[in-house]
């Protein structure tokens, strides 16, 4: 059995060693070292020509939760299962990232930082959490883990998804028709949607203005769900109080992009939830063994749906 | 029955109306309106002469958790029970404040903010929480609530108190002899101690340097537990990475104090956990009714111990 890897350069050695150790029955090589028939691909942002070297591939593992980049590659072979990392240690990280952003907004960290710079001692009034609703845009594994964590802090929770879901402690909304009501009650909107043709550009001027006055946005999903110019305008006209962004249309975010220096934006370089090598490799090895025995595996992407 | 109130000016009307409504059997007045025998005092930072107007007072309610300022007043009558607010909605607020500070330090918010100012896209390595021990200095009601919240995020927890306590999920240390070991394992030190003769000046140069290199401090208790100059020195020499301070020797913090503009300090104006009028008033009214019936109440300050 032969597994071909393509990973970010910085971690290629780590992935290679870990996968070889977890799957001693396989030969593991790194692209472009692909000398013979490839059984499995484990890839992150592969070059288009890589798929040509694996005409008989049985499954393609995407080394991350978001498969949107892979789905858009014309060379991606049809009919081969694409399997994404499920959790892989990402849910815990996402819970930390979103909880930090929500508490920072609720406790007015940005206001107090400005007061500190001015040498101003001024206590802001107590805010009742009942008036600080958090809306989760996307109720997959990550969204549900985030909901469970935020529920413990007493924030009122709502969640929106393509199809209706039932999540304990979360008032759920579904489909385009229920999106305006969901947005109107989200003092804090947390975007955890996959990037698909249906979600790209979703957060445009009209939808951002359906959020209540003074609302906050967190985008830890994909940059292309937000219309950048519309977000900047909503911050500039005061409708939105802040945005915490971890993902962007182009990454790294170009040096000249207005997000960098915008006073209402907190920006991180796509670190909200990174794929952890050890957890992911254990998952891939277990799934390859199941596939070799003819068993079904979870995490197979629905190509029609896009995630 | 007569209850005499002394509160911060900004909230005097709110306290007065709430207490009068909660205790319709009492007459409630605000200092200096103290025309006849006073049965109970409900006070925050009262003037020294107030106690002279209440020679037959049965109990003194302190409108906050920290009684250190009251305990230091020479006019405080001996032999009268001093009763502090227990929780009063403060534990939830303290959990939010400390969780925000801990997640901000763990997720390197300060580093990413600096990178954003410089237009720098650079991902910091993943940090294993097992190497990010949180030490709780003080294991009272607030400390235990904070411990329960942080445990859910997977931080290794230690706690130190004057006398040994047993708290689920927390490795506990007690007394002066165990303080160095406790400090040495606290990547993040959270101070929730009362201010007493035994704790004032506790966090001095020597103790701050018993923390591991690169540690973070949160002080949400009392300013006088920290030696300000020693904290600034420990930040300046790089031993400490950051400090989040809500309390100070003098409040409001004087405009010329070096904390305001220190790049390693995040400062808030004593807002980590404010006394909520409705919760506190309900508590005081219930305790007055118990005392009138000759029953014991909780929250009575041990004057020897100082809290």
């Amino acid at each position: 059995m032969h597994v071909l890897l393509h990973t970010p350069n910085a971690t290629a050695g780590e992935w290679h060693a870990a996968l070889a150790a977890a799957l001693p029955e396989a030969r593991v090589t790194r692209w472009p070292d692909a000398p013979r028939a490839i059984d499995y691909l484990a890839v992150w942002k592969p070059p288009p020509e890589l798929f040509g070297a694996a005409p008989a591939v049985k499954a393609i593992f995407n080394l991350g939760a978001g498969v949107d980049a892979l789905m858009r590659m014309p060379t991606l072979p049809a009919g081969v299962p694409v399997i994404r990392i499920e959790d892989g240690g990402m849910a815990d990280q996402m819970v930390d990232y979103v909880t930090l952003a929500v508490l920072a907004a609720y406790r007015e960290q940005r206001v107090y930082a400005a007061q500190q710079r001015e040498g101003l001692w001024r206590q802001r009034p107590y805010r009742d959490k009942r008036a600080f609703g958090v809306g989760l845009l996307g109720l997959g594994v990550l969204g549900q883990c985030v909901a469970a964590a935020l529920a413990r802090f007493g924030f009122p929770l709502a969640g929106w998804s393509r199809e209706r879901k039932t999540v304990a402690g979360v008032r759920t909304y579904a489909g385009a028709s229920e999106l305006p009501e969901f947005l109107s009650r989200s003092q804090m909107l947390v975007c955890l949607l996959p990037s698909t043709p249906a979600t790209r550009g979703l957060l445009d001027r009209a939808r951002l203005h359906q959020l209540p006055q003074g609302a906050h946005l967190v985008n830890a999903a994909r940059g292309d769900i937000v219309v950048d110019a519309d977000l900047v305008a909503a911050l500039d006209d005061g409708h939105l109080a802040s945005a915490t962004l971890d993902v962007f249309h182009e990454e790294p975010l170009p040096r000249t992009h207005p997000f960098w220096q915008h006073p209402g934006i907190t920006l991180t370089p796509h670190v909200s939830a990174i794929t952890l090598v050890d957890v992911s490799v254990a998952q891939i090895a277990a799934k390859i063994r199941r596939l070799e025995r003819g068993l079904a595996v979870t995490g197979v992407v629905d190509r029609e749906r896009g995630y």
Side-chain angles (χ1 to χ4, degrees), chain A residues 183-201:
Chain A
L183 291 172
S184 73
R185 69 180 308 293
S186 297
Q187 197 61 39
M188 180 102 205
L189 182 68
V190 179
C191 178
L192 294 168
L193 289 171
S195 169
T196 71
T199 66
R200 279 171 211 138

Side-chain angles (χ1 to χ4, degrees), chain A residues 166-182:
Chain A
T166 303
V167 181
V170 180
R171 181 165 176 178
T172 56
Y173 297 82
S177 65
E178 295 179 16
L179 188 55
E181 190 192 334
F182 163 79

Side-chain angles (χ1 to χ4, degrees), chain A residues 138-140 144 159-167 172-176 178 193 302 305 307:
Chain A
L139 285 172
Q144 294 185 34
W160 181 89
S161 49
R162 205 172 51 95
E163 288 167 6
R164 189 171 307 283
K165 297 194 178 180
T166 303
V167 181
T172 56
Y173 297 82
E178 295 179 16
L193 289 171
D302 177 338
R305 207 176 55 164
Y307 64 97

Side-chain angles (χ1 to χ4, degrees), chain A residues 63-138:
Chain A
L63 302 179
V67 294
D68 44 297
L70 204 58
M71 288 295 121
R72 278 183 283 197
M73 294 183 72
T75 58
L76 182 72
V80 177
V82 172
I83 302 169
R84 60 193 169 100
I85 297 293
E86 297 175 285
D87 191 346
M90 281 182 282
D92 284 349
Q93 297 174 70
M94 192 58 90
V95 164
D96 293 350
Y97 188 91
V98 174
T99 303
L100 172 56
V102 171
L103 288 174
Y106 168 66
R107 294 297 299 241
E108 304 185 272
Q109 190 189 53
R110 184 175 289 278
V111 176
Y112 282 119
Q115 292 190 178
Q116 178 176 353
R117 286 191 297 272
E118 294 162 24
L120 191 61
W121 180 279
R122 185 185 292 161
Q123 296 171 334
R124 309 268 301 170
Y126 175 75
R127 304 171 93 185
D128 193 327
K129 277 182 183 157
R130 285 170 291 187
F132 198 85
V134 178
L136 302 165
L137 205 48

Side-chain angles (χ1 to χ4, degrees), chain A residues 236-255:
Chain A
D236 286 345
D237 71 19
H239 189 74
L240 294 189
S242 81
T244 302
L245 307 176
D246 188 50
V247 289
F248 307 92
H249 283 260
E250 187 184 343
E251 296 179 6
L253 184 68
R255 280 299 295 265

Side-chain angles (χ1 to χ4, degrees), chain A residues 206-229:
Chain A
R207 299 232 173 71
L208 292 172
H209 279 264
Q210 284 164 357
L211 293 167
Q213 172 69 35
H216 303 263
L217 169 69
V218 181
N219 187 8
R222 280 292 182 265
D224 57 11
I225 297 165
V226 172
V227 179
D228 289 1

Side-chain angles (χ1 to χ4, degrees), chain A residues 138-151:
Chain A
L139 285 172
V141 173
L142 296 179
Q144 294 185 34
C145 288
V146 167
L150 293 178

